[in-house]
Structures are given as C-alpha cells and as structure tokens.
Amino acid sequence: MNNKSYRFKVGVFECIVVSDGTFAYPHPAQIFFANAPQERLEQVLREHSLDPEQWEEYVSPYPSLVIDTGQHRVLVDTGAGGMAPTTGKLIPNLQAEGIAPEDIDTVILTHGHPDHIGGNLDSEGKPAFPNARYVMWKEGWEFWTSEPDLAQMKVDEQIRQLLLTFARNNLPPIQGQLDLVDQETEIVPGIRTIPAAGHTPGHMAVAISSGDEQLLLIADAALHPIHLEQPDWYSVFDLAPEQVLVSKRRLVERATAEKALVQAFHFPFPGLGHIIPKGEAWQWQPIETAG
Ligand SMILES: [Zn+2]
C-alpha cells in the first residue's frame, strides 16, 4: 500500500481514501490527552510501545474520502491546503486516481478546522470543486464564520490565529454553493450526515450504507486509537470536551451495533478499521492492508 490512496468497497459503492499529506503534531501526549492523569497516561503510552519522555511528535495523515455511488461522486473533507509544506496534495492525488475536481458533485465538510476545509478553494480563491454543492452543519458554519472566541483552548495564540485565518479564508467563498444541515440528513442516496458536536460546534459524522454494508466516518470524534481505549480522555482541540465524550460514545455504539467499518481521520493511514468492545471501553482494530 502507498500512503496516497486506498481503494475499498462499501456494498456497490466504490470508495477511495485519498491523502492530502501529513502533519507532525509536536508534544502529542499533552495535545491529544489533555486531561489524562499523568501516571496512567505514561502507563498507557508504554503499553503502546511509546516512551512518554521520547514521544516528540505524532505524524497524522490527512485523508479525504471519495465515495462513488454510481450516481454521485462525493468528497468528504478537503485537506489542509497550504497549511504546511507536507499538505495540499489532495488534487494531484485525486488526479492520480483518475478523478478531476469537476467530477465531484458533493463536498461534505465535517467541521471548520484547517485540516478539513483547507482545500476548499483553488489558487485563484474560487471553489476548488466547481460543480459541487458543499454541505456543512449549520451551527458549525455559523460558529466559524462569526470570528469565534477561542480563548478557552489551551493552545498557543499562533494556533488560535491559524484556525481563525483558515475559517475566514476558506468558508465565505463557498457560500454560493453551500447547503446547511441541522439534523440527520440524507445528502445523496446512501450517504447521511450525523450530528457529532463537541470537537467543534456542528462537528458531524457521515454514515455510508450500500446493500448490507455500512461505513461510519467519525471524523475527529476520536483523534487517536487511545481515545477509544480511554473513553474519558480528550484533546486540547476539543472545544466542548464533555460533549465530545457523549458524541464519541454514541458513534461507537452505532458502529459496534451495526458492525460497521469505521474511518477515523487522524488514525494511522488509511484510518479504516473496526471498533471492538473491550472491558468497559473499546479497542481499535485496523483493517489488514496489503503491501
Ligand atoms: Zn482534524
């Protein structure tokens, strides 16, 4: 497997996880597990063969998902665009799979963070997917287009400014092609948006269903597999931590009840796997990828 794309099927739907690149998060233990008790955190990291003193960065993939239903070509999230030299590869990686930006008729944006909306526009500032309607959760759109106060986030001011700049630059120009949803909605036959707020206001998951197969895309409801083993741990990026924990539990219960395949944006590429109940919590079981 290369780390640029991964093809699979959900029923008769042809799906491709397509990479926009990667980004190295410094101090991952503090960033991803903001409320973890120190001693327990160190123990859990060691169980994952991570040295708490030496774990200096987490290199996260930034994968978008293309779903070709036969009638529609849907893209979920647009990557980080020019956020870093290691990002902004979505369009060439789509083209390598034979998909032109014009072929996409629906773009679903799970939430307004830079790594999910950064590729909304082309180099001229026009929508990068000219024939698509863009879909976003109403509350998320309203939040990110209203110069939100991010003071409660325990991150550097530089990161707060990055979030605000990306929202300011990448959201208003798509307004002419935008549909907002405020409840579970079938966007095209077989693809539904599901409310999963907490990580940000209006953060959403996407349920994909064809025949008797299901894929549940949980976006950023969990950022690392350890968030499944430790259901009470959350990250510094989670704007409403208590709500994240509720949304995560609801999504996981849905996935385990339906034995759905799951896609998690920040998990190791391609982020596909199953969630297995384990004790009081769960465990991530990535799919086997050849090569
Ligand atoms: Zn993200």
Side-chain angles (χ1 to χ4, degrees):
M1 185 187 69
N2 67 48
N3 276 358
K4 293 182 176 167
S5 60
Y6 181 80
R7 282 179 178 265
F8 63 106
K9 285 186 96 165
V10 177
V12 300
F13 292 176
E14 302 273 358
C15 302
I16 321 176
V17 178
V18 183
S19 175
D20 182 59
T22 60
F23 187 76
Y25 289 81
H27 314 300
Q30 292 91 319
I31 283 180
F32 289 119
F33 313 116
N35 66 329
Q38 191 58 28
E39 210 171 310
R40 181 75 186 121
L41 175 60
E42 290 180 12
Q43 190 183 6
V44 169
L45 292 179
R46 285 199 189 91
E47 286 165 15
H48 284 259
S49 307
L50 295 165
D51 181 339
E53 307 294 317
Q54 301 287 327
W55 195 32
E56 286 173 357
E57 59 179 34
Y58 175 70
V59 179
S60 169
Y62 281 175
S64 294
L65 177 69
V66 177
I67 310 124
D68 186 342
T69 70
Q71 263 150 0
H72 293 277
R73 270 183 166 173
V74 179
L75 176 73
V76 184
D77 288 336
T78 65
M83 190 182 100
T86 50
T87 62
K89 324 287 186 204
L90 177 63
I91 299 288
N93 287 342
L94 283 171
Q95 285 165 337
E97 290 296 327
I99 300 165
E102 294 76 20
D103 298 338
I104 301 292
D105 59 58
T106 310
V107 175
I108 297 174
L109 302 171
T110 59
H111 62 293
H113 272 166
D115 45 328
H116 301 258
I117 61 167
N120 280 3
L121 307 176
D122 63 17
S123 56
E124 292 169 9
K126 299 205 180 78
F129 303 94
N131 301 324
R133 60 177 181 134
Y134 287 68
V135 179
M136 201 168 161
W137 207 269
K138 187 165 182 277
E139 203 188 336
W141 172 268
E142 287 170 355
F143 180 79
W144 287 108
T145 54
S146 65
E147 293 290 325
D149 179 5
L150 303 177
Q152 92 243 42
M153 284 181 82
K154 294 191 182 74
V155 296
D156 293 345
E157 182 56 24
Q158 200 186 340
I159 295 184
R160 281 190 211 107
Q161 288 307 323
L162 178 83
L163 299 182
L164 293 171
T165 303
F166 265 69
R168 205 179 290 138
N169 292 345
N170 289 283
L171 292 176
I174 62 168
Q175 194 152 20
Q177 294 174 215
L178 181 70
D179 281 341
L180 296 175
V181 294
D182 60 4
Q183 55 183 316
E184 182 165 334
T185 302
E186 187 167 68
I187 302 299
V188 303
I191 301 183
R192 304 178 76 83
T193 54
I194 298 173
H199 178 63
T200 66
H203 174 273
M204 64 163 127
V206 183
I208 295 121
S209 171
S210 171
D212 57 4
E213 293 187 348
Q214 325 288 334
L215 170 68
L216 187 63
L217 182 148
I218 65 169
D220 285 11
L223 298 178
H224 188 281
I226 288 175
H227 286 138
L228 299 175
E229 295 168 30
Q230 305 294 331
D232 297 335
W233 293 4
Y234 52 78
S235 83
V236 292
F237 295 109
D238 295 326
L239 282 170
E242 293 307 318
Q243 211 182 355
V244 163
L245 305 181
V246 172
S247 289
K248 174 170 66 178
R249 187 168 288 276
R250 206 182 303 132
L251 290 173
V252 170
E253 280 165 2
R254 183 169 179 149
T256 50
E258 294 177 346
K259 295 195 168 38
L261 185 62
V262 171
Q263 206 279 336
F265 189 88
H266 291 280
F267 287 20
F269 191 85
L272 289 166
H274 290 90
I275 297 174
I276 312 295
K278 189 185 177 192
E280 303 278 282
W282 315 286
Q283 193 168 30
W284 179 241
Q285 190 176 73
I287 57 157
E288 304 267 344
T289 52

